[in-house]
Amino acid sequence: MVREGYPATTVEEYLDAVPPAQGAALRVVRDRLLEVVPGAEQVISYQVPTIRYRGKGLVALSVARAHCSLHLMSPPLARSLDGLLSEGTLSGATLQFDAGSPLSAETVRLIAERRMAEVDARLA
């Protein structure tokens, strides 16, 4: 799905183009992801910042008018997290959060570790 609104060729361009509060929140979440994902790559995919792990899309970040989003890129993971997370709101395979409350390091770690396990299993 191609998203409209913030065309960019790099993650930094995207984060600079979105409204400042949302860009700051996405930077916090992105930096937390980079701390826990070994060898993480940052790319633009489907016009949004995407973190790749072992060459595969792990999660993506984006903004909407009223919230920020962490796209889990895994409906099974989203279903397994339903009721476990104390922050954000799951909508399908997307965790929506307010720009004023970026996702905690614990939540980011939980999601990243579970997504990496899925990628590792697929590549094994």
Side-chain angles (χ1 to χ4, degrees):
M1 167 173 59
V2 175
R3 298 181 180 278
E4 300 295 329
Y6 302 104
T9 58
T10 69
V11 171
E12 287 305 318
E13 283 180 13
Y14 181 93
L15 297 175
D16 288 342
V18 300
Q22 291 176 313
L26 291 184
R27 278 186 172 89
V28 168
V29 174
R30 183 267 320 259
D31 291 348
R32 289 177 174 160
L33 285 162
L34 295 177
E35 288 175 9
V36 299
V37 178
E41 297 175 79
Q42 299 180 71
V43 299
I44 295 292
S45 182
Y46 294 93
Q47 295 186 346
V48 296
T50 301
I51 302 297
R52 286 198 311 205
Y53 167 72
R54 297 183 66 189
K56 304 296 181 192
L58 190 72
V59 294
L61 299 161
S62 71
V63 298
R65 192 168 292 164
H67 61 269
C68 297
S69 295
L70 177 63
H71 304 277
L72 306 183
M73 301 171 77
S74 170
L77 174 59
R79 286 189 296 274
S80 76
L81 293 171
D82 194 25
L84 286 179
L85 302 175
S86 61
E87 58 189 323
T89 303
L90 278 170
S91 176
T94 300
L95 182 58
Q96 300 171 348
F97 59 97
D98 184 71
S101 301
L103 299 173
S104 68
E106 295 78 20
T107 295
V108 170
R109 178 178 298 279
L110 173 68
I111 291 167
E113 287 176 348
R114 289 189 180 193
R115 276 293 291 135
M116 287 187 294
E118 287 180 339
V119 171
D120 289 342
R122 249 183 295 161
L123 294 176

